[in-house]
Amino acid sequence: MKRAGPMPPAARAIVNGDRRVLARVISQVENGDPAAAPVTRVLYPRTGNKPVVGVTGPLGVGKSSLINQLVARLRELDRTVAVVAVDPSSPYSGGSVLGDRIRFDRRADDAGVFFRSMASRGEVGGVAAATREVTRLLDAAGFDVILVETVGSGQVDLAVRDVATTSVVVLVPHLGDEVQTLKAGLFEIADVFCVNKADLPGADVARRDLVELVALGSDRSGWRPKIVSTSTTQPSGIEDLWSAIAAHEEFLDRSGARRADERRRVSSEVVELVREKVGRELAGRLEREPALRHWVDQVVERTLDPHTVADRLAKTIGRR
Amino acid sequence: MPRNTKVSPRRVLIAKPGLDGHDRGAKVVARALRDAGFEVIYAGLRQTPEEIVRAALEEDVDLIGLSILSGAHMALFPKVLALLKKEKAADIPVFAGGIIPDEDARRLKKAGIRAIFGPGTSLEEIVSTAQRLARSAA
């Protein structure tokens, strides 16, 4: 890999395990602070080799509790773990109550664990705009496994695919009949299905519906989603859950899918970054430049249509 | 980099040290701070000073709010302050609420707790104090 230039002190501190600096730079990334850019750039070549496990599913299915148990399991296996837990920001105040930490058992003296709560800050899809960059910081900081807990998801909150190497979809009994499992969206992105609260009545039905779904499956990439049943009140199935995740990670290496998936993720990231930059620039110009303001006025007056103006604007990109 | 041309939200940790199980007040304050635009990391009940300080550092908060009704404030609050100092994080302001006698409140303020709210304090007062303290930290 190409050298990324001399290492800024903050990057060095993160690599050397300084958690305070790590926490600070995470905030800078979240805030879009330009100070973070040289740090993330220089650390980038060190990243991309760790499992990033996305845990998603509707609100209240037990994602936080499962993550707590997974962390305990990984610590038994002597693996270090970082968790990023995303909760929604208010569309009204921009504020947020980040409550996933409550479910997290106290490990005040365990340096092998790092937990960070993150607000979605207006992003839809289940994760924050900064989540992916933050997982890379945690990767560079040396954690063996990175767990990402999404916002409680709906059927089309699929952004976890753009962040995680393995996606775990967590469900509970009585979420709906088997037709729900045929619908596009959430059920398509699972590498592992986890039927949580498996001690509740109906868990066997939920599991059976998933078994049928997977049996019908198209083997899109040569991987059949695994199905595990878990409970966190009387912990059970947690070892199976980790084994299923680990099996998928092994599959990614064995099949070459890891590289293909990463290609898909980085292309979508690059496109997203361009969209950001260009969108911001165009929005500013539409406000400032009289000629462009006039186009917008014409759209308002119905003498031009939005597509025509968009085509004209697109032609001006990068030509100034 | 994520888009962000606006002011970044302030982050505040709300925690209950000690053993009492009454977190209604802490939740009401968390909600009020949320509505004032804070990102509130709600750590919940029965936190040790070590856990509180660790959470504050990992979450990179601008402010810590402690709620206590058990009477153990004279033991637990100074411990939190001492641990912050040990971690070179004494710049993070700490405020507190709960059942705290005036004499204790005076001593705790002298020890470095920046504001103490008793029963009957308005949410407006708590929010405006939190905003002022969070700004001073940055």
Side-chain angles (χ1 to χ4, degrees), chain A residues 71-218:
Chain A
V71 169
R73 175 67 186 146
L74 286 162
R75 296 304 292 138
E76 278 168 23
L77 297 171
D78 216 19
R79 313 279 292 274
T80 59
V81 198
V83 180
V84 183
V86 188
D87 269 325
S89 295
S90 165
Y92 301 105
S93 71
S96 182
V97 171
L98 308 173
D100 294 322
R101 218 180 164 101
I102 302 186
R103 314 262 174 250
F104 203 63
D105 276 343
R106 314 307 157 69
R107 298 184 180 87
D109 55 352
D110 183 357
V113 179
F114 183 90
F115 190 105
R116 178 70 176 228
S117 313
M118 185 179 266
S120 63
R121 296 198 183 176
E123 207 62 23
V124 293
V127 298
T131 304
R132 181 207 295 260
E133 193 73 78
V134 169
T135 63
R136 285 200 289 253
L137 287 172
L138 297 166
D139 181 342
F143 292 98
D144 296 327
V145 181
I146 295 139
L147 303 177
V148 176
E149 177 181 344
T150 71
V151 169
S153 63
Q155 288 170 304
V156 292
D157 292 322
L158 312 177
V160 70
R161 307 173 60 236
D162 294 331
V163 175
T165 55
T166 295
S167 295
V168 178
V169 172
V170 184
L171 301 163
V172 290
H174 296 296
L175 275 182
D177 65 10
E178 75 280 5
V179 178
Q180 296 299 339
T181 68
L182 301 177
K183 291 184 179 172
L186 191 60
F187 284 86
E188 293 180 281
I189 65 164
D191 301 307
V192 176
F193 283 108
C194 176
V195 181
N196 194 32
K197 309 193 188 182
D199 48 327
L200 295 182
D204 47 340
V205 180
R207 188 184 172 96
R208 195 188 59 212
D209 289 345
L210 290 172
V211 169
E212 282 176 20
L213 170 75
V214 170
L216 282 172
S218 53

Side-chain angles (χ1 to χ4, degrees), chain B residues 54-130:
Chain B
R54 175 151 183 184
L57 299 183
E58 287 186 349
E59 301 286 358
D60 190 31
V61 295
D62 304 294
L63 184 62
I64 300 171
L66 303 175
S67 163
I68 195 161
L69 298 167
S70 70
H73 46 267
M74 294 309 283
L76 295 172
F77 289 1
K79 187 86 191 286
V80 170
L81 293 172
L83 286 168
L84 283 171
K85 199 167 178 187
K86 187 176 148 213
E87 299 288 344
K88 299 187 174 60
D91 55 315
I92 305 175
V94 180
F95 72 99
I99 309 291
I100 297 166
D102 292 348
E103 175 54 30
D104 290 356
R106 267 191 295 277
R107 285 164 63 194
L108 289 169
K109 277 190 179 164
K110 206 174 269 177
I113 302 285
R114 302 283 290 277
I116 295 178
F117 303 112
T121 311
S122 72
L123 286 172
E124 288 77 16
E125 186 185 343
I126 296 174
V127 166
S128 67
T129 305

Side-chain angles (χ1 to χ4, degrees), chain A residues 20 23-24 27 29-33 36 40 93-99 101-102 106-111 113-117 119 121 123 129-130 273 276 280, chain B residues 1-5 8-9 11 13 30-31 34-48 50-51 54-55 57-60 87-89 91-92:
Chain A
R20 189 95 198 270
R24 271 278 150 78
S27 300
V29 166
E30 282 194 280
N31 294 340
D33 184 336
T40 55
S93 71
S96 182
V97 171
L98 308 173
R101 218 180 164 101
I102 302 186
R106 314 307 157 69
R107 298 184 180 87
D109 55 352
D110 183 357
V113 179
F114 183 90
F115 190 105
R116 178 70 176 228
S117 313
R121 296 198 183 176
E123 207 62 23
L273 289 171
E276 283 278 311
R280 195 162 38 212
Chain B
M1 273 311 97
R3 108 195 81 185
N4 201 327
T5 46
S8 309
R11 292 168 68 85
L13 177 72
R31 167 81 193 261
R34 182 200 83 178
D35 290 344
F38 279 87
E39 290 183 355
V40 182
I41 293 93
Y42 189 74
L45 292 167
R46 298 188 193 88
Q47 299 277 309
T48 66
E50 288 79 6
E51 289 158 358
R54 175 151 183 184
L57 299 183
E58 287 186 349
E59 301 286 358
D60 190 31
E87 299 288 344
K88 299 187 174 60
D91 55 315
I92 305 175

Side-chain angles (χ1 to χ4, degrees), chain A residues 1 45-52 139 143-144 165 249 253 258:
Chain A
M1 184 113 19
R46 297 171 171 261
T47 64
N49 302 308
K50 308 284 179 53
V52 179
D139 181 342
F143 292 98
D144 296 327
T165 55
E249 290 289 327
D253 289 325
R258 186 180 296 282

